[in-house]
Amino acid sequence: MDDTAATLATELDGLLAMARELEVRLEGDQGAPGTARELCAALAASVDRAMRLAGSSPRGGGDGEGNATGRASVSGRKAAAGKVRRQVRVASVTDAGPLNDGLSWRKYGQKDILGAPYPRAYFRCTHRHTQGCQATKQVQRAAADPLLFDVVYHGTHTCACAQAAAHQQSPASFGQEQQSPPAAAPEEIQWPATPPSFPSPPAGNVGDCYPSVCELDGGYGYGYAAGGGLGADMWFGSQLDEWFLNLSEVKNL
DNA sequence: GACATTTGACCCCC
DNA sequence: GGGGGTCAAATGTC
Protein backbone atom coordinates (compact mmCIF):
# COMPACT_ATOMS: atom_id res chain seq x y z
CA MET A 1 0.00 0.00 0.00
CA ASP A 2 2.88 2.39 -0.52
CA ASP A 3 1.06 4.00 -3.35
CA THR A 4 -1.87 4.75 -1.16
CA ALA A 5 0.31 6.29 1.49
CA ALA A 6 2.18 8.29 -1.08
CA THR A 7 -1.02 9.55 -2.62
CA LEU A 8 -2.41 10.39 0.77
CA ALA A 9 0.70 12.24 1.75
CA THR A 10 0.79 14.10 -1.53
CA GLU A 11 -2.75 15.21 -1.23
CA LEU A 12 -2.36 16.23 2.37
CA ASP A 13 0.79 18.06 1.47
CA GLY A 14 -1.13 20.09 -1.04
CA LEU A 15 -3.89 20.78 1.42
CA LEU A 16 -1.40 21.90 4.01
CA ALA A 17 0.22 24.28 1.58
CA MET A 18 -3.15 25.71 0.69
CA ALA A 19 -4.13 26.12 4.29
CA ARG A 20 -0.92 27.93 5.09
CA GLU A 21 -1.22 30.14 2.08
CA LEU A 22 -4.73 30.98 3.05
CA GLU A 23 -3.61 31.70 6.55
CA VAL A 24 -0.99 34.09 5.24
CA ARG A 25 -3.49 35.80 3.06
CA LEU A 26 -5.93 36.14 5.89
CA GLU A 27 -3.22 37.72 7.88
CA GLY A 28 -3.16 40.61 5.49
CA ASP A 29 -6.86 40.73 5.03
CA GLN A 30 -8.43 42.64 7.82
CA GLY A 31 -11.89 41.94 6.57
CA ALA A 32 -11.47 38.24 6.93
CA PRO A 33 -13.49 36.65 9.65
CA GLY A 34 -11.53 35.42 12.60
CA THR A 35 -13.30 32.13 12.61
CA ALA A 36 -11.99 31.46 9.17
CA ARG A 37 -8.47 32.06 10.39
CA GLU A 38 -8.97 29.75 13.27
CA LEU A 39 -10.39 27.19 10.95
CA CYS A 40 -7.39 27.50 8.73
CA ALA A 41 -5.01 27.08 11.60
CA ALA A 42 -6.92 24.07 12.80
CA LEU A 43 -7.04 22.69 9.33
CA ALA A 44 -3.31 23.10 8.86
CA ALA A 45 -2.60 21.44 12.16
CA SER A 46 -4.96 18.62 11.40
CA VAL A 47 -3.50 18.04 7.98
CA ASP A 48 -0.04 18.14 9.46
CA ARG A 49 -0.94 15.42 11.91
CA ALA A 50 -2.50 13.39 9.15
CA MET A 51 0.66 13.73 7.11
CA ARG A 52 2.70 12.37 9.95
CA LEU A 53 0.34 9.47 10.21
CA ALA A 54 0.55 8.94 6.49
CA GLY A 55 4.25 8.48 6.73
CA SER A 56 6.24 10.97 4.83
CA SER A 57 5.89 13.70 2.37
CA PRO A 58 6.71 12.43 -1.07
CA ARG A 59 7.82 15.79 -2.29
CA GLY A 60 10.17 15.36 -5.16
CA GLY A 61 9.51 11.70 -5.26
CA GLY A 62 6.60 10.45 -7.26
CA ASP A 63 4.78 12.37 -9.86
CA GLY A 64 2.18 13.17 -7.30
CA GLU A 65 -0.47 13.30 -9.92
CA GLY A 66 -2.93 11.09 -8.26
CA ASN A 67 -4.70 8.29 -9.95
CA ALA A 68 -8.27 9.27 -9.58
CA THR A 69 -8.90 9.49 -13.27
CA GLY A 70 -7.19 6.29 -14.04
CA ARG A 71 -5.25 8.44 -16.39
CA ALA A 72 -3.48 6.37 -18.89
CA SER A 73 0.05 7.27 -19.63
CA VAL A 74 -0.16 10.30 -21.76
CA SER A 75 0.90 9.36 -25.18
CA GLY A 76 3.73 11.03 -26.97
CA ARG A 77 1.25 12.87 -29.08
CA LYS A 78 -0.32 14.38 -26.08
CA ALA A 79 2.89 15.04 -24.27
CA ALA A 80 4.14 16.93 -27.25
CA ALA A 81 1.05 19.02 -27.45
CA GLY A 82 1.02 20.15 -23.87
CA LYS A 83 3.96 20.23 -21.60
CA VAL A 84 2.09 21.49 -18.62
CA ARG A 85 -0.24 19.07 -17.01
CA ARG A 86 -2.24 19.67 -13.87
CA GLN A 87 -4.94 17.68 -12.26
CA VAL A 88 -7.59 19.16 -10.09
CA ARG A 89 -10.65 17.78 -8.44
CA VAL A 90 -13.73 19.86 -8.72
CA ALA A 91 -16.62 19.59 -6.38
CA SER A 92 -19.87 20.74 -7.79
CA VAL A 93 -22.49 21.62 -5.27
CA THR A 94 -25.22 20.85 -7.68
CA ASP A 95 -25.29 18.06 -10.10
CA ALA A 96 -25.38 20.41 -12.98
CA GLY A 97 -21.80 20.29 -13.97
CA PRO A 98 -18.31 20.79 -12.95
CA LEU A 99 -16.96 24.18 -13.41
CA ASN A 100 -16.37 27.50 -14.78
CA ASP A 101 -12.74 28.36 -14.68
CA GLY A 102 -13.07 31.54 -16.61
CA LEU A 103 -11.74 30.32 -19.86
CA SER A 104 -13.31 29.51 -23.13
CA TRP A 105 -13.40 25.80 -23.71
CA ARG A 106 -14.89 23.94 -26.56
CA LYS A 107 -15.79 20.34 -26.26
CA TYR A 108 -14.30 18.23 -28.98
CA GLY A 109 -14.86 14.72 -27.82
CA GLN A 110 -16.15 12.33 -25.25
CA LYS A 111 -15.12 8.79 -24.56
CA ASP A 112 -16.17 5.97 -22.37
CA ILE A 113 -13.19 5.02 -20.30
CA LEU A 114 -12.54 1.46 -19.46
CA GLY A 115 -13.43 0.75 -15.87
CA ALA A 116 -14.89 4.17 -15.31
CA PRO A 117 -18.60 4.53 -14.73
CA TYR A 118 -18.68 7.90 -16.40
CA PRO A 119 -17.34 9.03 -19.74
CA ARG A 120 -14.51 11.49 -20.06
CA ALA A 121 -15.08 14.74 -21.88
CA TYR A 122 -12.36 16.47 -23.86
CA PHE A 123 -12.15 20.23 -24.16
CA ARG A 124 -9.80 22.51 -25.96
CA CYS A 125 -9.49 26.25 -26.03
CA THR A 126 -12.05 27.97 -28.21
CA HIS A 127 -9.27 30.09 -29.63
CA ARG A 128 -7.18 27.16 -30.65
CA HIS A 129 -7.38 27.99 -34.32
CA THR A 130 -7.66 31.75 -34.15
CA GLN A 131 -4.91 32.30 -31.61
CA GLY A 132 -3.10 29.03 -31.59
CA CYS A 133 -3.90 28.40 -27.96
CA GLN A 134 -2.94 24.80 -27.23
CA ALA A 135 -4.62 24.39 -23.87
CA THR A 136 -6.81 21.36 -23.43
CA LYS A 137 -8.49 19.73 -20.54
CA GLN A 138 -10.24 16.52 -19.69
CA VAL A 139 -13.18 16.35 -17.38
CA GLN A 140 -14.53 13.21 -15.81
CA ARG A 141 -16.86 12.52 -12.98
CA ALA A 142 -15.20 10.80 -10.07
CA ALA A 143 -16.35 7.24 -9.71
CA ALA A 144 -16.65 7.55 -5.98
CA ASP A 145 -18.72 10.68 -5.96
CA PRO A 146 -20.68 11.91 -8.97
CA LEU A 147 -20.55 15.41 -7.56
CA LEU A 148 -16.82 15.43 -7.93
CA PHE A 149 -15.14 16.02 -11.23
CA ASP A 150 -11.58 15.18 -12.01
CA VAL A 151 -10.18 17.78 -14.33
CA VAL A 152 -6.85 17.41 -16.02
CA TYR A 153 -5.37 20.43 -17.74
CA HIS A 154 -2.87 20.04 -20.52
CA GLY A 155 -0.81 22.88 -21.85
CA THR A 156 -1.17 26.51 -21.09
CA HIS A 157 -3.53 29.12 -22.33
CA THR A 158 -1.82 31.60 -24.58
CA CYS A 159 -4.93 33.25 -25.88
CA ALA A 160 -5.97 36.77 -25.01
CA CYS A 161 -9.01 35.68 -23.07
CA ALA A 162 -6.85 33.76 -20.66
CA GLN A 163 -4.86 36.86 -19.88
CA ALA A 164 -8.03 38.83 -19.41
CA ALA A 165 -9.43 36.22 -17.10
CA ALA A 166 -6.21 36.10 -15.16
CA HIS A 167 -6.47 39.81 -14.63
CA GLN A 168 -9.94 39.61 -13.25
CA GLN A 169 -9.00 37.30 -10.46
CA SER A 170 -5.81 38.21 -8.70
CA PRO A 171 -3.52 35.65 -10.20
CA ALA A 172 -0.99 36.10 -7.49
CA SER A 173 -3.13 33.99 -5.29
CA PHE A 174 -2.23 30.48 -4.56
CA GLY A 175 0.38 28.67 -6.48
CA GLN A 176 3.40 30.47 -7.66
CA GLU A 177 3.92 27.99 -10.42
CA GLN A 178 0.40 27.99 -11.53
CA GLN A 179 0.25 27.71 -15.26
CA SER A 180 -3.18 27.67 -16.55
CA PRO A 181 -6.53 28.27 -15.29
CA PRO A 182 -7.12 31.59 -13.77
CA ALA A 183 -10.27 31.67 -11.85
CA ALA A 184 -13.65 33.12 -12.24
CA ALA A 185 -15.46 34.47 -15.17
CA PRO A 186 -18.83 34.35 -16.63
CA GLU A 187 -19.43 31.34 -18.61
CA GLU A 188 -17.74 28.44 -19.94
CA ILE A 189 -17.99 24.80 -19.48
CA GLN A 190 -21.61 24.22 -19.91
CA TRP A 191 -21.96 20.71 -18.85
CA PRO A 192 -24.37 19.49 -21.43
CA ALA A 193 -27.74 20.84 -20.48
CA THR A 194 -29.16 17.49 -21.28
CA PRO A 195 -26.23 15.21 -20.94
CA PRO A 196 -26.63 12.46 -23.41
CA SER A 197 -24.27 10.15 -21.73
CA PHE A 198 -23.67 11.42 -18.24
CA PRO A 199 -26.15 9.65 -16.08
CA SER A 200 -26.80 12.51 -13.79
CA PRO A 201 -29.75 14.67 -14.66
CA PRO A 202 -29.33 18.28 -15.60
CA ALA A 203 -29.90 20.71 -12.83
CA GLY A 204 -30.96 23.47 -15.07
CA ASN A 205 -28.71 26.36 -14.39
CA VAL A 206 -25.02 25.82 -14.32
CA GLY A 207 -24.72 29.16 -12.68
CA ASP A 208 -26.05 27.59 -9.57
CA CYS A 209 -22.99 25.60 -8.99
CA TYR A 210 -19.96 27.04 -7.35
CA PRO A 211 -17.29 24.53 -7.63
CA SER A 212 -14.09 24.75 -5.83
CA VAL A 213 -10.89 23.18 -6.82
CA CYS A 214 -7.96 21.63 -5.11
CA GLU A 215 -5.06 20.51 -7.09
CA LEU A 216 -4.00 17.02 -6.32
CA ASP A 217 -0.45 17.29 -7.30
CA GLY A 218 0.75 19.96 -5.16
CA GLY A 219 0.27 23.26 -3.55
CA TYR A 220 -2.21 24.97 -5.71
CA GLY A 221 -5.87 25.47 -5.47
CA TYR A 222 -8.52 27.91 -6.30
CA GLY A 223 -12.17 28.45 -5.95
CA TYR A 224 -14.62 30.26 -8.03
CA ALA A 225 -18.25 30.86 -8.56
CA ALA A 226 -20.05 30.75 -11.80
CA GLY A 227 -21.67 34.04 -11.00
CA GLY A 228 -18.34 35.66 -10.52
CA GLY A 229 -19.33 37.60 -7.46
CA LEU A 230 -18.09 35.28 -4.83
CA GLY A 231 -17.30 37.03 -1.61
CA ALA A 232 -14.47 36.10 0.66
CA ASP A 233 -16.72 34.34 3.11
CA MET A 234 -18.33 32.28 0.44
CA TRP A 235 -15.00 31.58 -1.05
CA PHE A 236 -13.64 30.36 2.22
CA GLY A 237 -16.74 28.39 2.80
CA SER A 238 -16.58 26.54 -0.44
CA GLN A 239 -12.83 26.16 -0.21
CA LEU A 240 -13.02 24.70 3.25
CA ASP A 241 -15.87 22.51 2.18
CA GLU A 242 -13.68 21.27 -0.58
CA TRP A 243 -10.77 20.63 1.73
CA PHE A 244 -12.85 18.62 4.08
CA LEU A 245 -14.39 16.86 1.17
CA ASN A 246 -10.95 15.87 0.01
CA LEU A 247 -9.91 14.93 3.48
CA SER A 248 -12.87 12.67 3.96
CA GLU A 249 -12.09 11.10 0.65
CA VAL A 250 -8.51 10.58 1.63
CA LYS A 251 -9.65 9.00 4.82
CA ASN A 252 -11.48 6.43 2.80
CA LEU A 253 -8.38 5.35 0.97
C1' DG B 1 -25.04 32.22 -40.66
C1' DA B 2 -21.93 31.41 -36.99
C1' DC B 3 -20.72 28.76 -33.41
C1' DA B 4 -21.03 24.83 -30.17
C1' DT B 5 -22.02 20.01 -29.35
C1' DT B 6 -22.44 15.21 -30.56
C1' DT B 7 -20.59 11.05 -32.11
C1' DG B 8 -18.48 7.67 -35.04
C1' DA B 9 -14.11 6.90 -37.00
C1' DC B 10 -9.34 7.24 -37.18
C1' DC B 11 -4.60 7.50 -35.28
C1' DC B 12 -1.07 6.49 -32.07
C1' DC B 13 1.04 4.29 -28.16
C1' DC B 14 1.60 0.49 -25.01
C1' DG C 1 -5.13 -5.64 -30.42
C1' DG C 2 -6.99 -2.61 -27.00
C1' DG C 3 -7.56 1.78 -25.05
C1' DG C 4 -7.13 6.69 -24.98
C1' DG C 5 -7.00 11.04 -27.53
C1' DT C 6 -8.30 13.67 -31.56
C1' DC C 7 -10.61 14.70 -35.90
C1' DA C 8 -14.36 16.02 -38.61
C1' DA C 9 -19.03 15.63 -40.47
C1' DA C 10 -23.66 16.02 -38.92
C1' DT C 11 -26.72 18.28 -36.07
C1' DG C 12 -28.54 21.68 -32.87
C1' DT C 13 -28.96 26.31 -30.91
C1' DC C 14 -28.86 31.22 -30.80
Side-chain angles (χ1 to χ4, degrees):
Chain A
M1 287 293 188
D2 283 0
D3 280 354
T4 300
T7 302
L8 172 63
T10 299
E11 188 141 356
L12 290 173
D13 195 26
L15 288 171
L16 180 60
M18 284 188 284
R20 284 180 173 155
E21 174 66 27
L22 180 57
E23 217 174 351
V24 169
R25 295 185 67 197
L26 283 173
E27 213 85 43
D29 186 354
Q30 298 172 355
T35 52
R37 281 182 57 178
E38 291 169 15
L39 261 177
C40 285
L43 175 63
S46 175
V47 171
D48 198 77
R49 283 194 298 274
M51 284 181 67
R52 290 171 203 278
L53 288 176
S56 62
S57 169
R59 259 187 208 289
D63 60 2
E65 297 234 344
N67 50 12
T69 59
R71 163 181 353 105
S73 59
V74 176
S75 62
R77 189 204 317 194
K78 187 121 188 85
K83 307 120 199 160
V84 181
R85 197 168 113 205
R86 299 175 48 251
Q87 178 174 359
V88 300
R89 173 156 293 183
V90 179
S92 173
V93 172
T94 71
D95 205 18
L99 68 167
N100 175 337
D101 54 16
L103 297 165
S104 298
W105 297 103
R106 177 171 176 168
K107 188 175 183 177
Y108 66 88
Q110 179 168 302
K111 286 273 292 190
D112 287 321
I113 301 303
L114 192 72
Y118 306 108
R120 177 178 300 167
Y122 299 89
F123 297 85
R124 65 182 165 217
C125 180
T126 302
H127 310 290
R128 184 186 186 92
H129 298 302
T130 57
Q131 297 181 31
C133 183
Q134 294 296 311
T136 65
K137 75 173 177 182
Q138 303 169 1
V139 180
Q140 182 174 20
R141 282 184 188 272
D145 187 344
L147 287 182
L148 289 178
F149 292 84
D150 288 315
V151 183
V152 181
Y153 292 91
H154 295 276
T156 57
H157 270 281
T158 57
C159 58
C161 84
Q163 293 163 15
H167 257 285
Q168 287 181 2
Q169 185 105 357
S170 71
S173 48
F174 272 107
Q176 268 67 22
E177 74 266 80
Q178 104 188 39
Q179 315 270 357
S180 33
E187 94 264 62
E188 175 291 328
I189 291 192
Q190 310 280 341
W191 211 244
T194 47
S197 3
F198 280 81
S200 55
N205 190 356
V206 255
D208 288 342
C209 80
Y210 53 95
S212 54
V213 177
C214 288
E215 187 178 12
L216 297 183
D217 54 350
Y220 167 65
Y222 57 93
Y224 49 82
L230 189 59
D233 288 354
M234 281 185 64
W235 188 91
F236 288 132
S238 58
Q239 187 68 60
L240 287 171
D241 280 350
E242 175 63 19
W243 287 345
F244 288 118
L245 218 159
N246 276 285
L247 281 175
S248 60
E249 191 176 81
V250 166
K251 246 175 44 181
N252 291 333
L253 280 179

